[in-house]
Amino acid sequence: MAQLLLLHLVAAVVAPLLVRLLSRKAFLVLALVPATAFGWLVSVSTDVRAGQGPTQHISWVPGLGVDLDFRVTTLSWVVGLLVTGVGALVLLYCTWYFGRDDRALWRFSSVFIAFAGAMLGLVLTDNLLVLYVFWELTTVFSYLLIGHNPASSTNRRAAMQALLVTTFGGLAMLIGIIAIGVQHTYSISGFIESPPPLDGVTAAAIVLLLVGALSKSALIPFHFWLPGAMAAPTPVSAYLHAAAMVKAGVYLVALLAPAFAGAPAWYALTVGLGLGTMLLGGWRALRQHDLKLLLAYGTVSQLGFMVSISGVGTRAAGLAALALIVGHALFKSTLFLTVGIIDKSTGTRDLRRLSGLGRRLLPVSIPATLAALSMAGVTPLAGFVAKESALGALVNGIEEARPLPQPYGWLSLAGVVLGSVLTVAYTARFMWGAFASKPGVPPTRLTMPHPGFVAAPLVLGVGSLLVGLTAPIESTFLMPYADLFTTGDAPEPLALWHGLTLPLVLSAVSVVAGALLFIDRERVARLQAGVPDLVDGERIFGRVLRGVDRGAVEATAVTQRGSLPLYVMAILVVFVALPGGAAVLRGTIGPVRIWDSAAQAVVGAIVVAAAILVLFSRRRVTSIMLVGVTGYGAAMTFVLAGAPDLGITQMLVETVALVVFVLVLRRLPTKFTRHPQSPVRSWRLVLGLAVGLGVAAMGLVTTSARTQVPASEGFPVEAYAFGHGRNIVNVALVDIRAWDTMGEVSVLVVAATGIASLIFVRTRNARLSRATAKNLPPTEPNRGTWLHGGRTLRPERRSVIFEVVTRLVFHVMLAASLFLLFAGHNQPGGGFAGGLVAGLALVIRYLAGGRYELDEAAPFDAGLLVGLGLLVVVTSALAPLAFGGTILQTTALDFELPIWGEVHLVTSLFFDAGVYLIVVGMMLDIVRSLGTGIDRHIAEATSDPGAAAAFDAAPAGEPTAAEAAAPAGSEGPAS
C-alpha cells in the first residue's frame, strides 16, 4: 500500500514533465496510476469480503506512536475503489476537457494526482495521526485545484474560503485525535475492536472529530463553501466534490460510528445536522439556474443524507450508508462530467439558454438520464437500492425504538422522505434544464464532443445501472462493515425487491411528490422568492472574516508603532517578568565554580570590559566592533572549555554578523544621537541590567536543576557505533539529532527567502550585463586583471593590494570550506562551518571588487542554491527507505580507489552537503541584499529622482538609469 502512495508521489513529480512532452495526452499516462491502485484493490476483494484485508506496518516515529500502518477494511476498500476508479476516469476526461493553450496544465496535473494519492492514503491508513496528515494534504491540494485560475478573483476567493473552513475543522479534529491518542490509542483498528469508555475527555474528543468531518463534508453551518468551490474546473468538481474530498467527512463518520455511535451530542451532530443539511441543500437547488450550482447544492443535500444515515449506528444503517456512498459517487460524478461536456460544447451552463440537446447529444444524455434516475431513487438504479435500504433502516429503528426514541425516529424518517422529494424535484429540474426543448428558446448551437470526452460519464452512468441490477452481490461485499455494529438486528441484503413494504411505499411517494413539485415549479419559485434565507452561512462567514480583519487592524494599530526599540523592549520586559522572575523567586542554585583556569578569567574580563565600553562609545562602527569582541570572547570560552567545534562556529557567525552590521551602517549616521537627560536612556539601562541578571539567574538555576544523567553522556559511544564518526558535535547534528537540524535549515531557508522578498523586487540574481560591460574601462593591452569587477570602482576607491590578496586567498578559503565539510565527521568542522567560510570568501570578493565582482564569483541564483541544498537534505533523509532502512539512517561505505586509496564514506555527508549549500546560498542572499542592494540604493539616491522608477522598469540584468548616469566604476562597497 505504501508503494501505491509512492507511485502517486512519483507521478505527481514527473507530471509537469509529461505535460511538457505530451501536452494534454499526459493525462492518459497519469490515469494509469489510480487505475493501478484500482486494480490492486479489486485483486484483494475476496480477502476483504472474508474480513482478512491486507495490512502493512512501517515504523516511523515509535516514540510518538506515529507508525505508517495501512489496513484495507470493507469501508476503506469501498471508498478506495471510488477514489481510484473515478480518479482514473476523470483523468481520462481531462484529456479532452482542457485546451491546448492552457499554460497551467503542468501544475494542475501534478496537484490532481497528488490529491488522489493523499485521498487514497487517508482511507487506507490505520493511524489517526497519519490520517490527519493526509486529511490536511487533501485540504491544501484542493485549495490549489479550486484556485486553478489564480487570475480570477472568484477562484481565489472560493479557494481561500474552502481552505479556511476545512482547515478550521481540521485543527479541531487534530485536538480530538491527540486527546484520543493520549487517553487510549492512535490505532484506528484498536479503538474499533475495543471501544474505549466514553469519559468526558473521550466524549469531547469525539465532538471535535465530528466538527472536522462536518466541515469537510459541507454540513450546516459549513455548507456554504462547497457551492463556492464550483469555480473550479469541472473535473475538479466531479472528483473532489462527488467521489473524493467531501467523502472524507462521510468516511470519518462511518469510521467512528461502530465505536462511538451514541456518544454525547453524536446524534445531534450527525443525524440532526445531516437532515437539516439535506433539506437546506435540496431547497436551494430548486432555484439555481447554473447547472453546476444546481448539482453543488444537490451534493450538499446528499452529503447530509449520507452523514445522517451513517450516524444512526445500527447494522442496517451501516449497510445503507455504504450503499449510499457508492451510489452517490457514481451518479454525481456522471452528472458533473455531463455538465462539463455541455459547457464545452455549447459555451453555457445556464439552463434558461439550453434547449434541444437531449436528442442531439444522445451519448451524453443517456448516461446522464441513468445517473439522474439513480439520484432520484428510481428502480432499478443503484440510488433506488441505497435509498430504500436507508428508509428500511430508519423504519426498523422506529419499530425497535433504538437507537433513537420513536418520536425522533419518526422525525428522522419524515426528514429523509421530505429530502427525497426535493431530490426528485431538483433532479427533474436538472434534466429539463440540460436536455429538454423549451418553448420560446431556440435550439442551442452545439459542437459535437470527441468520443473520448464522453467515455468517462458513459462508464459511470452505466455503472449506476449495473450496481443496481447486481445489488445482492454488492450486499455480500458491504455486509462485513455492517457486522461491526452491535445495535440492531441483522439487515436484509440489498435487493431491488423486498415486497410491498413501507420503505418502498415511501420511496414511491417521494418520487411522485417530487415530480409534482417540479411540474408546479413556477409556484415553487414564487414561494422561494418570498422565503428569507434563514441560514446564510456565507454571509456569517464574511462577517466573521471582516471582524477578524478589523480586530487585526485595531490590534496592529495599538501594538505595532513602527519602533524597533519598543518591540525589543516589550520582548525583554516579558522575559524579565516571567522566566527571569521565576528563576529568581522559585529557582535554587547549587555550588558554583567561577572558572576552571586563569585564561577563562582573562577572557571573561575582556568580554565584560568590551560590554561596558559599548555604553560609552559614540560611533556606531566602534560599538559594533566592541560587541564583536564579546562574541569572539564567547568563542574563546568554548575553545578553552574543550569545544573547538563550537568555538569555530561562533567565530564564523560573529564574523558574518560584523560584516552584516558594517554593510547596514553605510545607510546610517556615523554617530549616535545622544540624549543624556532622557528618561528613556535610564529606562534602557535598568532594563539591560535586569536582562543580564535574569539570564545569569536562569543559567545558574537551569544548570543546578539537573537530576538525571544527561543523555549526551552516551553520545561518544553512539556517535561512533551508529553515526560512524568521532566528532560528536557533527554526528549529533547530522545523525543523532538530525530532525532538529532539518528544522533549523528550514528556518534558514525561510530567512533567506524573507530577505530576498524584502530586498529584491524582480530577481535574486543580477549578472553583469553586456550593456554595462561595454561601459566599463577597458583592460590595458598585454595586461591581465586581478578582479574583473574592480573595473567598476572609481580609481581612488580601489586597492590593488586588497585585490591581489583577495585573488590569492579566495580559492584557499573555498578549499578550506570543503575541507571543513568533508573532514567534519571526524575532526572539527562540518557543513555549517564550511558554508560560512565559503560565504565569507564571497564577501571578500564583494568588498574588493564591488557587486559586479560578486556576480563574477557566484554566477548563479541564490534561491536556486538554497532550494538545491534543501532538496539534498530531504533526499538524503529519505534515501535509506529505498534500501530497507529508516529515515535519516547513517551507513558507512568503505572502498578502495586506484589513486586515492582507502575511502571511508559516511552517508550523512550528503546531509551535511545540503546544509553547506543552504548556508552558502543564504550568505549570497545576505551579501546581494545588504551589499549590492544597498549599493543600488546609494547609486539611485545620488542620481536623478526618476532613477528608482527606471530601475524597477529595467529588464533583469540591464543597467538602470542610475547606473547609466553614474560614471563608470562608481559603485562599490565603499560608496
Side-chain angles (χ1 to χ4, degrees):
M1 286 171 275
Q3 291 84 345
L4 293 175
L5 301 182
L6 184 61
L7 180 62
H8 281 79
L9 175 61
V10 172
V13 172
V14 303
L17 179 60
L18 287 176
V19 170
R20 183 180 180 87
L21 296 175
L22 305 175
S23 186
R24 296 179 302 172
K25 293 182 179 179
F27 288 109
L28 298 175
V29 179
L30 294 174
L32 297 175
V33 176
T36 300
F38 179 85
W40 181 81
L41 288 170
V42 171
S43 69
V44 300
S45 57
T46 304
D47 296 334
V48 173
R49 182 170 59 179
Q52 299 176 350
T55 61
Q56 186 177 15
H57 172 81
I58 301 174
S59 180
W60 189 15
V61 189
L64 297 178
V66 183
D67 297 320
L68 297 178
D69 290 321
F70 300 101
R71 184 186 185 94
V72 181
T73 63
T74 300
L75 176 62
S76 63
W77 178 76
V78 169
V79 181
L81 283 174
L82 297 176
V83 168
T84 55
V86 176
L89 291 173
V90 171
L91 282 170
L92 290 175
Y93 176 89
C94 289
T95 306
W96 295 275
Y97 178 84
F98 291 102
R100 298 180 183 274
D101 57 345
D102 194 328
R103 297 182 178 181
L105 279 187
W106 65 271
R107 181 177 65 247
F108 177 87
S109 60
S110 179
V111 175
F112 191 97
I113 201 71
F115 175 88
M119 192 67 203
L120 181 61
L122 189 152
V123 301
L124 293 181
T125 183
D126 193 39
N127 186 286
L128 282 175
L129 286 175
V130 179
L131 181 144
Y132 174 76
V133 172
F134 286 119
W135 185 281
E136 289 305 300
L137 284 176
T138 61
T139 296
V140 174
F141 291 141
S142 67
Y143 165 77
L144 297 174
L145 290 171
I146 295 171
H148 171 67
N149 180 16
S152 169
S153 60
T154 302
N155 283 76
R156 295 197 305 270
R157 183 171 58 251
M160 183 58 67
Q161 183 174 268
L163 178 69
L164 292 176
V165 173
T166 54
T167 300
F168 166 77
L171 291 175
M173 189 179 80
L174 176 62
I175 299 174
I177 287 174
I178 294 175
I180 288 182
V182 172
Q183 286 284 105
H184 308 290
T185 178
Y186 288 111
S187 172
I188 296 174
S189 57
F191 66 70
I192 290 180
E193 294 170 1
S194 179
L198 290 175
D199 52 23
V201 174
T202 304
I206 297 305
V207 171
L208 292 172
L209 287 171
L210 290 178
V211 170
L214 300 184
S215 67
K216 201 77 162 182
S217 288
L219 266 67
I220 294 175
F222 309 110
H223 60 283
F224 57 88
W225 73 261
L226 196 150
M230 292 302 109
T234 298
V236 175
S237 303
Y239 189 52
L240 273 68
H241 307 138
M245 177 181 170
V246 294
K247 285 291 197 308
V250 181
Y251 170 80
L252 184 60
V253 173
L255 185 69
L256 299 174
F260 299 113
W266 173 273
Y267 293 121
L269 292 174
T270 57
V271 180
L273 290 181
L275 291 176
T277 304
M278 183 181 185
L279 296 175
L280 178 65
W283 176 256
R284 291 195 173 179
L286 289 177
R287 63 186 185 191
Q288 303 302 319
H289 300 295
D290 186 325
L291 291 176
K292 202 173 178 184
L293 274 180
L294 189 155
L295 291 180
Y297 281 103
T299 300
V300 170
S301 177
Q302 292 292 313
L303 289 170
F305 186 20
M306 287 183 283
V307 169
S308 63
I309 298 301
S310 300
V312 171
T314 62
R315 290 187 174 91
L319 179 63
L322 271 192
L324 285 172
I325 291 173
V326 174
H328 177 264
L330 293 174
F331 66 67
K332 192 56 64 74
S333 56
T334 302
L335 295 176
F336 268 120
L337 295 178
T338 298
V339 171
I341 296 174
I342 292 175
D343 188 16
K344 289 294 182 180
S345 301
T346 64
T348 182
R349 300 193 305 253
D350 192 336
L351 57 81
R352 294 167 296 186
R353 298 171 55 189
L354 294 171
S355 180
L357 295 181
R359 293 183 179 179
R360 292 186 291 157
L361 267 181
L362 282 177
V364 177
S365 62
I366 291 176
T369 301
L370 293 175
L373 292 175
S374 181
M375 184 164 66
V378 177
T379 189
L381 281 303
F384 166 78
V385 175
K387 186 174 75 171
E388 188 184 30
S389 179
L391 293 171
L394 293 176
V395 170
N396 291 339
I398 294 172
E399 294 174 351
E400 299 176 8
R402 60 176 184 168
L404 295 173
Q406 283 191 342
Y408 293 106
W410 283 110
L411 187 62
S412 300
L413 182 63
V416 170
V417 173
L418 182 56
S420 299
V421 171
L422 295 174
T423 301
V424 174
Y426 67 69
T427 301
R429 179 179 176 83
F430 174 86
M431 293 301 296
W432 167 79
F435 299 110
S437 297
K438 304 177 182 65
V441 180
T444 306
R445 296 182 63 180
L446 175 67
T447 301
M448 292 303 295
H450 189 279
F453 199 14
V454 303
L458 182 62
V459 171
L460 293 168
V462 173
S464 292
L465 176 62
L466 294 179
V467 170
L469 294 175
T470 59
I473 299 176
E474 178 192 12
S475 184
T476 62
F477 285 96
L478 305 187
M479 196 64 74
Y481 171 73
D483 294 337
L484 296 175
F485 293 86
T486 58
T487 304
D489 297 331
E492 293 186 9
L494 300 175
L496 289 172
W497 177 254
H498 290 108
L500 188 61
T501 60
L502 179 58
L504 179 62
V505 173
L506 293 176
S507 182
V509 168
S510 66
V511 172
V512 174
L516 294 175
L517 196 63
F518 167 72
I519 293 172
D520 203 14
R521 55 186 175 277
E522 294 183 0
R523 183 179 300 178
V524 173
R526 291 194 297 269
L527 176 63
Q528 286 190 320
V531 176
D533 292 331
L534 299 179
V535 184
D536 193 341
E538 188 166 8
R539 185 179 303 164
I540 296 173
F541 176 79
R543 289 177 179 175
V544 170
L545 278 189
R546 288 192 294 272
V548 171
D549 288 342
R550 180 60 183 268
V553 171
E554 296 292 342
T556 302
V558 173
T559 59
Q560 302 294 314
R561 294 291 185 175
S563 172
L564 183 59
L566 181 62
Y567 302 155
V568 175
M569 288 170 62
I571 295 172
L572 295 179
V573 166
V574 173
F575 169 78
V576 171
L578 297 181
V584 172
L585 299 177
R586 303 295 299 273
T588 58
I589 300 176
V592 177
R593 189 167 64 249
I594 303 300
W595 57 69
D596 294 322
S597 66
Q600 290 179 335
V602 173
V603 173
I606 294 174
V607 169
V608 172
I612 294 174
L613 289 174
V614 170
L615 301 177
F616 300 96
S617 173
R618 296 198 59 187
R619 292 185 175 273
R620 296 180 188 271
V621 173
T622 305
S623 300
I624 295 303
M625 294 302 174
L626 290 171
V627 171
V629 170
T630 64
Y632 288 119
M636 275 308 298
T637 303
F638 293 144
V639 173
L640 293 173
D645 256 302
L646 296 180
I648 292 174
T649 304
Q650 175 64 30
M651 289 183 182
L652 293 172
V653 169
E654 195 63 41
T655 304
V656 172
L658 282 175
V659 170
V660 170
F661 277 123
V662 171
L663 291 176
V664 173
L665 288 181
R666 294 179 297 164
R667 299 292 284 171
L668 297 175
T670 58
K671 293 183 178 181
F672 293 107
T673 302
R674 292 292 187 179
H675 302 285
Q677 306 301 324
S678 173
V680 176
R681 179 178 171 83
S682 302
W683 161 244
R684 290 175 179 173
L685 181 61
V686 172
L687 181 60
L689 291 173
V691 171
L693 292 174
V695 171
M698 289 187 63
L700 292 172
V701 169
T702 53
T703 54
S704 303
R706 185 183 297 279
T707 58
Q708 301 295 325
V709 177
S712 58
E713 287 197 3
F715 279 12
V717 176
E718 295 172 353
Y720 192 75
F722 306 112
H724 307 283
R726 295 184 176 86
N727 184 348
I728 301 173
V729 174
N730 182 264
V731 174
L733 291 175
V734 300
D735 187 288
I736 300 175
R737 303 193 65 177
W739 280 109
D740 293 344
T741 306
M742 286 192 68
E744 291 162 3
V745 297
S746 300
V747 171
L748 283 178
V749 171
V750 172
T753 305
I755 292 172
S757 58
L758 286 173
I759 302 297
F760 299 109
V761 177
R762 297 168 298 138
T763 176
R764 296 168 86 166
N765 186 31
R767 298 291 311 283
L768 179 60
S769 67
R770 294 181 179 178
T772 305
K774 291 179 180 178
N775 295 325
L776 298 180
T779 304
E780 296 183 19
N782 303 321
R783 290 190 61 181
T785 179
W786 285 103
L787 299 176
H788 292 282
R791 292 178 291 160
T792 64
L793 301 176
R794 289 195 292 269
E796 63 271 19
R797 296 199 173 184
R798 294 185 64 180
S799 171
V800 177
I801 296 177
F802 193 13
E803 292 183 19
V804 171
V805 171
T806 299
R807 185 65 179 267
L808 294 175
V809 303
F810 176 73
H811 300 91
V812 175
M813 293 183 69
L814 289 183
S817 73
L818 293 175
F819 174 80
L820 290 173
L821 169 63
F822 286 99
H825 210 61
N826 292 287
Q827 301 177 33
F832 187 79
L836 289 176
V837 172
L840 288 173
L842 295 175
V843 170
I844 293 175
R845 287 285 290 267
Y846 161 72
L847 294 174
R851 68 185 184 92
Y852 291 124
E853 181 61 31
L854 178 63
D855 291 335
E856 287 287 321
F860 41 78
D861 187 84
L864 178 63
L865 196 62
V866 170
L868 179 62
L870 188 61
L871 177 63
V872 172
V873 167
V874 174
T875 303
S876 62
L878 298 177
L881 292 176
F883 301 94
T886 59
I887 296 177
L888 291 169
Q889 180 178 339
T890 299
T891 302
L893 304 174
D894 295 303
F895 53 90
E896 293 275 348
L897 289 179
I899 299 177
W900 191 272
E902 183 179 352
V903 176
H904 178 73
L905 177 64
V906 181
T907 55
S908 58
L909 173 65
F910 299 104
F911 184 95
D912 222 7
V915 175
Y916 177 91
L917 294 175
I918 291 173
V919 174
V920 174
M922 181 196 68
M923 288 291 298
L924 189 57
D925 252 342
I926 291 175
V927 180
R928 280 193 175 140
S929 58
L930 302 180
T932 65
I934 292 178
D935 287 342
R936 294 185 178 207
H937 295 166
I938 294 174
E940 291 166 3
T942 56
S943 62
D944 60 275
F951 173 72
D952 288 337
E958 295 300 319
T960 65
E963 295 169 332
S970 62
E971 289 190 55
S975 62

